[in-house]
Amino acid sequence: MTSDIKGRDGEGREFTSPDELWQKEADADGGHNTWYHKAVAYWDSQEASYNGVLGGYGYTSDLDVRDSRQLLLKAMRVQLEAADKGQRQLTALGHKQAGNHGYQT
């Protein structure tokens, strides 16, 4: 994935692209399990409501929705196009199973 999207991570580190962030966050084996586990832990600590998902802003305007959709389409373009062609399966994180320390997708 190559992109010109710049930004900062949750710790304030600046990155010139998602590729740079992804390389920095790679585990020793090249995977990203640690990054995903941190993300899941964060969302597990949030209130299960619109307010929790939106960081205390339980209302969004049509403009917010439009801009978020445009950002996701730009950031995930390659993955979405591959899924449309049947070349890739998209997966979302699932819920935590009782007695299971892993997550089911």
Side-chain angles (χ1 to χ4, degrees):
M1 175 174 95
T2 305
S3 177
D4 60 356
I5 300 173
K6 299 175 185 176
R8 294 189 174 133
D9 68 4
E11 297 170 4
R13 295 178 296 183
E14 292 187 24
F15 295 92
T16 59
S17 70
D19 290 335
E20 181 185 4
L21 170 89
W22 214 228
Q23 288 170 359
K24 178 72 174 171
E25 293 293 335
D27 295 332
D29 66 359
H32 294 89
N33 287 332
T34 302
W35 187 87
Y36 283 112
H37 285 288
K38 284 194 280 185
V40 170
Y42 170 81
W43 287 110
D44 277 350
S45 72
Q46 300 305 305
E47 177 185 328
S49 68
Y50 289 122
N51 211 34
V53 170
L54 299 172
Y57 297 95
Y59 167 79
T60 57
S61 71
D62 291 341
L63 293 175
D64 291 331
V65 172
R66 183 200 69 202
D67 291 347
S68 294
R69 183 176 190 278
Q70 288 175 347
L71 172 66
L72 289 171
L73 289 173
K74 182 176 181 180
M76 300 294 295
R77 180 183 54 82
V78 172
Q79 293 86 345
L80 293 170
E81 288 174 355
D84 283 345
K85 295 175 186 173
Q87 299 169 338
R88 179 185 183 125
Q89 182 178 7
L90 300 179
T91 305
L93 292 175
H95 60 281
K96 200 171 196 179
Q97 295 279 316
N100 180 357
H101 298 286
Y103 288 82
Q104 182 176 357
T105 56

